[in-house]
Amino acid sequence: MEELKRRPLQGVLNILSFNRHFYVIGLLVLAFIIASQIVFSWSVPLLWIIIIAFTYGLIMPLIISAYVYDFSGYYDFKWLKHLGLTDSESNQMININAGFDETSFIIKEHFPNSNLKVFDFYNSERHTEPAIIRARKVSLVYPNTQQIKSDKIPLEDASIDAIFLLSAVHEIRKHEEKIQFLKECHRICKPTGKVIMVEHLRDVPNFFAFSIGFTHFFSRQIWKTAFNSAGFTSFTETKFTPFMSIFKSAP
């Protein structure tokens, strides 16, 4: 399938493109600081500390993103083999994104016999970060992708075998909205079904990777609390690189 072909370094190029406002602002601030030192002749050692800190903050996220998204094999989806998912004509699967979909075609390739539906919960009023707005403009759209609200998934109770939430749910910033969304996932999930969520975490490795940008993510405890509040009885984590976690939950 043509849709499955990824360009070299596509992951890091996406990060750079979608978050270019941070890089423009960062470089402008750094240029202003350097200019102010030339004019006012303040401490040169302090200037170098600031330059090193800014350089680290701008470059390290790109290095880690290249590692995670371009060199770790994440988009090979071989990690799915360890999650106990099956492929059959009776299987009902859904993939839910926040307006940027790089995974639906890959999921379908790995589960060709299963029935896959795709939903997009992006809300322009609630989900306002510039990165996701830019990402939507270049995202592939899986056939018959349906726009939904985060508090209502238009499917019957206990009808789905597998729900994929791949680097998407952190775009729901409010905790109560996350819980309501996960309650809907719980409602439509079969008793034997699974929710597969992939997320960066607000933890030490991601702090060193993304510095202040790690606040865009949520901690493991916040996710565990949200899943428990939504009614899920299990919540297990597998690390995929030190910077990304794969969570599996069941009703």
Side-chain angles (χ1 to χ4, degrees):
M1 296 176 64
E2 183 67 25
E3 293 88 347
L4 298 178
K5 294 181 179 180
R6 292 178 61 81
R7 296 172 296 161
L9 297 177
Q10 181 174 329
V12 69
L13 290 174
N14 284 345
I15 298 297
L16 184 58
S17 175
F18 302 158
N19 296 281
R20 58 183 178 271
H21 54 293
F22 287 122
Y23 288 89
V24 171
I25 293 171
L27 290 173
L28 288 175
V29 171
L30 183 58
F32 175 80
I33 291 172
I34 294 173
S36 71
Q37 197 280 333
I38 294 173
V39 173
F40 298 106
S41 299
W42 46 273
S43 171
V44 173
L46 177 59
L47 174 65
W48 277 109
I49 291 174
I50 293 173
I51 290 174
I52 291 170
F54 265 82
T55 302
Y56 181 95
L58 292 172
I59 294 179
M60 187 55 66
L62 299 180
I63 294 174
I64 298 303
S65 296
Y67 166 54
V68 172
Y69 296 111
D70 296 310
F71 296 110
S72 70
Y74 172 66
Y75 285 103
D76 294 340
F77 273 38
K78 293 179 180 178
W79 48 269
L80 283 174
K81 295 179 180 179
H82 307 292
L83 299 177
L85 302 177
T86 58
D87 182 33
S88 70
E89 292 183 358
S90 63
N91 264 17
Q92 303 295 319
M93 296 182 169
I94 65 172
N95 186 28
I96 305 178
N97 66 72
F100 181 58
D101 186 2
E102 286 192 302
T103 57
S104 293
F105 288 102
I106 304 175
I107 292 171
K108 185 60 179 176
E109 183 184 58
H110 282 268
F111 301 97
N113 298 311
S114 299
N115 180 33
L116 175 66
K117 294 181 179 179
V118 179
F119 297 99
D120 173 4
F121 65 72
Y122 174 77
N123 183 315
S124 60
E125 294 181 358
R126 292 184 177 183
H127 313 137
T128 57
E129 297 210 359
I132 193 63
I133 294 172
R134 293 192 184 108
R136 283 180 59 80
K137 295 179 180 179
V138 299
S139 178
L140 291 171
V141 178
Y142 190 83
N144 300 315
T145 295
Q146 185 173 347
Q147 195 79 28
I148 62 171
K149 295 183 178 179
S150 61
D151 61 354
K152 182 62 178 177
I153 303 174
L155 294 171
E156 296 181 0
D157 295 359
S159 60
I160 301 300
D161 296 282
I163 301 172
F164 294 96
L165 310 173
L166 307 181
S167 297
V169 191
H170 66 271
E171 299 296 347
I172 300 177
R173 307 307 297 170
K174 294 182 178 180
H175 189 66
E176 288 305 315
E177 186 183 353
K178 280 199 289 288
I179 292 175
Q180 187 58 46
F181 171 76
L182 292 173
K183 282 182 177 180
E184 277 293 281
C185 292
H186 183 273
R187 178 185 65 80
I188 66 174
C189 201
K190 291 180 181 179
T192 56
K194 301 176 180 68
V195 174
I196 308 300
M197 182 178 76
V198 176
E199 286 288 346
H200 291 282
L201 295 180
R202 190 181 297 182
D203 58 10
V204 173
N206 281 294
F207 170 74
F208 284 108
F210 301 105
S211 60
I212 193 65
F214 91 135
T215 59
H216 183 59
F217 310 118
F218 297 96
S219 69
R220 183 185 189 279
Q221 185 57 49
I222 285 177
W223 287 120
K224 183 177 181 181
T225 299
F227 272 87
N228 288 342
S229 298
F232 288 91
T233 59
S234 68
F235 183 77
T236 59
E237 177 187 11
T238 303
K239 292 303 274 187
F240 184 82
T241 79
F243 309 101
M244 184 176 280
S245 295
I246 301 168
F247 295 101
K248 182 172 73 172
S249 296

